[in-house]
Amino acid sequence: QKEVEQNSGPLSVPEGAIASLNCTYSDRGSQSFFWYRQYSGKSPELIMFIYSNGDKEDGRFTAQLNKASQYVSLLIRDSQPSDSATYLCAVALITQGGSEKLVFGKGTKLTVNP
Amino acid sequence: DAEITQSPRHKITETGRQVTLACHQTWNHNNMFWYRQDLGHGLRLIHYSYGVQDTNKGEVSDGYSVSRSNTEDLPLTLESAASSQTSVYFCASSRGIGTEAFFGQGTRLTVV
């Protein structure tokens, strides 16, 4: 099983709709969870992070974490064409040596149609 | 402003040659990471470092090495470049455990 898995895309939604992106992870010891956005040809950039179970809202974005079920999701409300990008789920794992390993899923490509 | 820079941005090399990709950050971050990104595979971790003299293998470390002699730099070396190592390489750094990682601009490497 891959350490971090995302629902396969691509995902296409109309402008103004809610886009829902999902991610599961395998290591129950994971403590920190991130959502990055990557535009084509660009570097990933952080849009949300979440550490505790429940919801975290930031503008049109809501991250949801359920540690018991080992999944984290990202909701984008009122989707805009500018939200069209690949969304990467990342999980921080603490190794036995005390280092932090940041592992990414394959990403889900989102297209918002005007 | 603090930043993280990669060089070169583009590189073409021949099979069998040794290649070093540079990564330099001015945030004084402890954590540094190297990833490769290929279509259909997302970002895959090559090596990572928690601090000076600390290096660790990621999921796709074969054929790659890193060294961390200071806080600012984590160069990635391809010992003997292979066509399978043609990819876009990203370096990233973060302050500490569970904090945001910042990415460099990426290096597009082509092995011919």
Side-chain angles (χ1 to χ4, degrees), chain A residues 27 29-32 92-101, chain B residues 97-98:
Chain A
D27 191 326
S30 303
Q31 295 295 321
S32 308
L93 311 173
I94 309 303
T95 68
Q96 287 185 334
S99 302
E100 180 184 64
K101 184 169 71 168
Chain B
I97 293 174

Side-chain angles (χ1 to χ4, degrees), chain A residues 62-80:
Chain A
T62 299
Q64 299 173 317
L65 175 61
N66 184 323
K67 289 187 178 180
S69 299
Q70 295 176 245
Y71 85 79
V72 58
S73 63
L74 179 70
L75 299 178
I76 307 175
R77 292 182 300 281
D78 188 25
S79 296
Q80 301 297 308

Side-chain angles (χ1 to χ4, degrees), chain A residues 7-94:
Chain A
N7 54 321
S8 59
L11 177 64
S12 182
V13 300
E15 185 173 355
I18 296 175
S20 177
L21 305 162
N22 299 316
C23 173
T24 58
Y25 59 95
S26 60
D27 191 326
R28 286 194 170 274
S30 303
Q31 295 295 321
S32 308
F33 308 87
F34 306 86
W35 283 100
Y36 285 79
R37 177 177 61 200
Q38 186 178 24
Y39 292 114
S40 181
K42 301 296 185 181
S43 305
E45 55 180 349
L46 183 74
I47 51 173
M48 291 285 291
F49 63 89
I50 187 166
Y51 303 145
S52 304
N53 276 330
D55 294 359
K56 179 181 179 182
E57 187 174 316
D58 184 1
R60 296 185 296 110
F61 299 94
T62 299
Q64 299 173 317
L65 175 61
N66 184 323
K67 289 187 178 180
S69 299
Q70 295 176 245
Y71 85 79
V72 58
S73 63
L74 179 70
L75 299 178
I76 307 175
R77 292 182 300 281
D78 188 25
S79 296
Q80 301 297 308
S82 58
D83 295 326
S84 297
T86 296
Y87 289 80
L88 301 164
C89 173
V91 177
L93 311 173
I94 309 303

Side-chain angles (χ1 to χ4, degrees), chain B residues 20-72:
Chain B
T20 296
L21 308 182
C23 177
H24 179 81
Q25 52 97 2
T26 59
W27 280 298
N28 201 36
H29 283 169
N30 287 322
N31 294 339
M32 295 186 74
F33 310 89
W34 272 106
Y35 297 89
R36 61 177 289 176
Q37 188 170 41
D38 306 285
L39 199 63
H41 291 280
L43 282 166
R44 291 185 290 176
L45 184 62
I46 305 172
H47 283 285
Y48 57 105
S49 169
Y50 186 55
V52 176
Q53 302 302 329
D54 176 78
T55 61
N56 305 278
K57 294 181 179 180
E59 64 178 306
V60 290
S61 60
D62 287 349
Y64 303 93
S65 63
V66 293
S67 61
R68 187 91 180 268
S69 59
N70 58 53
T71 300
E72 296 80 15

